[in-house]
Amino acid sequence: MGKKILVTGGTGLVGRGIEFAALSDKREDEEWIFLSSKDCNLTSMDETRKLFEMHKPTHVIHLAAMVGGLFSNLRQNAEFFRVNMLINDSVLNCCREFKVEKLVSCLSTCIFPDKTTYPIDETMVHNGPPHSSNFGYAYAKRMLDVQNHAYRQQYGCQFTSVIPTNIFGPHDNFNLEDSHVIPALIHKCYNAKRDGTAVTVFGSGTPLRQFIYSHDLGRLMVWTLREYTETEPIILSVGEEDEVSIKQVAEVVAKEMGVENLQFDTTKADGQFKKTANNAKLRQYLPDFQFTPFEQAMKESCAWFVENYEKARK
Ligand code: NAP
Ligand code: GFB
């Protein structure tokens, strides 16, 4: 029998990356359904049940979440916790009730302990408190790993999770209040070029991040759904050697967008200094996986924003 794969949060940055990957490697026995919040408000168990009743999925990739950058998290820790706990409870419970064969949910490297040794690996998710800027989001996401193990133990469910680093690409959220650093900088550079003004980068520019292109993450998540059988999470990341500073990122975006004047507002928060993750487990499974070079991925992301300015989330 074929697979019917439901992707919650299928219209967001990662969902579009998965759609791109699934279309590039089509399989006859797979039917993909990409959902938005308009199809169902997943904070409601009743609505979620109706959705599962309608689609009867055999497989689920669960992306839907309240998502935001550092400044959005700093303002709304309570909401990040509440909304994500509700969504995750509905989705995992319905996956059990409707006997979904496999569920892959999405964590994030920002949920790891703040005070830790580096590099971070998959065994360290629960080792200590997350960074204070996003503890609401981080604890809700950590609970997904707890839920996966509990559902496996009590009901034998095949539930697992992936842990991506910071992500960017087409269809990102470019809203300057809520967004992550790369879409924010692309949008700021666009405005600066149009208005002949300088670009303000928030914070000192010294924090370090690993960034993964949404199309690469899409390919890796399709692989996870098809091939990965552990309950334990797997980090989906570029190598430690590909970690970059925010200043370097700002310079790459500015160059791509044709902007020269960058200023740093050090009164704004830096957030977590780094969360360097180790991708050795991924490399054991996929030693030959090729990541898109950062500059190439940035070129495609900037071009997407310029070409889709009217319809982009901003
Ligand atoms: P995104 O672009 O903001 O997309 C979020 C998706 O979730 C959208 O499809 C949205 O639907 C849907 N959604 C939100 N609230 C919902 C609700 N109450 N009911 C149903 N659907 C709802 O986010 P993303 O960056 O693709 O994130 C996808 C996953 O990756 C999340 O689990 C996130 O935690 C994780 N992640 C993201 C990053 C990153 O840097 N972006 C890093 C690590 C992990 P609408 O389009 O209708 O609003
Ligand atoms: O992308 P960002 O919000 O993610 O910020 P985090 C990364 C860094 O970029 C921080 C700096 O040091 C910011 O100070 N930055 C510079 C900016 N200019 C800007 C700007 O205009 N907007 C933003 N947003 N940052 C988030 C977590 O943390 O990472 C979330 O809070 C989530 O929970 C996500 O998981 C992946 O890596 O700091």
Side-chain angles (χ1 to χ4, degrees):
M1 201 184 93
K3 292 186 186 127
K4 192 168 188 184
I5 306 159
L6 204 64
V7 183
T8 73
T11 51
L13 168 67
V14 180
R16 297 290 192 163
I18 291 176
E19 189 174 28
F20 178 86
L23 286 176
S24 314
D25 180 20
K26 263 191 158 169
R27 303 250 171 118
E28 285 306 315
D29 65 339
E30 290 179 352
E31 179 191 350
W32 290 81
I33 300 162
F34 293 88
L35 300 172
S36 82
S37 63
K38 292 184 195 74
D39 297 297
C40 171
N41 178 3
L42 295 167
T43 61
S44 157
M45 186 70 79
D46 287 346
E47 275 196 46
T48 309
R49 231 180 234 123
K50 283 186 195 133
L51 179 88
F52 274 68
E53 185 61 56
M54 184 168 84
H55 289 294
K56 299 193 171 57
T58 60
H59 293 67
V60 173
I61 295 184
H62 173 38
L63 307 172
M66 181 173 173
V67 180
L70 167 64
F71 299 96
S72 176
N73 275 271
L74 279 167
R75 283 195 310 271
Q76 312 174 78
N77 266 296
E79 278 301 288
F80 271 95
F81 183 79
R82 191 182 74 90
V83 171
N84 288 321
M85 288 296 291
L86 286 171
I87 290 178
N88 296 341
D89 183 46
S90 307
V91 172
L92 270 69
N93 181 53
C94 286
C95 284
R96 175 190 69 79
E97 280 186 11
F98 289 84
K99 300 190 169 35
V100 165
E101 290 168 31
K102 184 168 177 184
L103 163 71
V104 179
S105 296
C106 203
L107 313 183
S108 167
T109 49
C110 69
I111 75 169
F112 281 106
D114 183 39
K115 304 269 179 293
T116 186
T117 54
Y118 297 99
I120 293 165
D121 68 38
E122 290 83 353
T123 66
M124 297 158 80
V125 172
H126 304 286
N127 280 1
H131 192 263
S132 58
S133 60
N134 66 359
F135 69 95
Y137 175 85
Y139 277 117
K141 286 279 176 190
R142 283 186 188 189
M143 285 310 111
L144 271 172
D145 178 58
V146 173
Q147 289 164 300
N148 284 345
H149 282 90
Y151 277 102
R152 166 83 82 167
Q153 187 202 57
Q154 188 174 345
Y155 301 107
C157 295
Q158 196 187 344
F159 292 178
T160 191
S161 59
V162 297
I163 312 182
T165 52
N166 293 52
I167 308 159
F168 70 105
H171 301 278
D172 210 335
N173 176 10
F174 294 86
N175 179 309
L176 292 176
E177 296 291 312
D178 298 330
S179 60
H180 293 97
V181 60
I182 290 182
L185 289 176
I186 293 174
H187 193 176
K188 285 180 186 179
C189 284
Y190 182 95
N191 291 349
K193 199 170 173 196
R194 183 193 56 201
D195 304 337
T197 51
V199 171
T200 304
V201 182
F202 292 162
S204 65
T206 58
L208 301 171
R209 297 288 183 268
Q210 287 155 299
F211 289 96
I212 184 166
Y213 187 38
S214 58
H215 288 183
D216 293 343
L217 180 60
R219 285 156 61 212
L220 290 172
M221 290 198 68
V222 169
W223 167 82
T224 307
L225 183 88
R226 289 174 180 160
E227 311 292 347
Y228 183 73
T229 55
E230 297 181 34
T231 300
E232 296 301 332
I234 181 165
I235 289 173
L236 302 181
S237 172
V238 298
E240 290 157 59
E241 66 283 2
D242 293 317
E243 192 170 52
V244 287
S245 72
I246 296 304
K247 181 166 184 279
Q248 286 173 298
V249 172
E251 286 166 357
V252 174
V253 176
K255 182 165 168 247
E256 195 51 52
M257 295 295 287
V259 168
E260 279 172 14
N261 196 353
L262 292 178
Q263 297 172 348
F264 289 83
D265 180 352
T266 53
T267 65
K268 295 283 197 298
D270 268 345
Q272 197 160 3
F273 178 63
K274 64 177 186 176
K275 32 194 173 179
T276 319
N278 176 298
N279 69 0
K281 184 172 182 177
L282 174 66
R283 281 300 182 201
Q284 273 175 6
Y285 280 103
L286 295 176
D288 300 324
F289 184 85
Q290 298 280 328
F291 288 94
T292 308
F294 185 63
E295 276 79 7
Q296 175 62 28
M298 190 66 82
K299 192 185 252 314
E300 292 175 16
S301 305
C302 291
W304 186 89
F305 181 69
V306 173
E307 279 161 28
N308 295 278
Y309 181 76
E310 292 306 327
K311 71 169 192 197
R313 274 185 290 168
K314 57 183 188 307

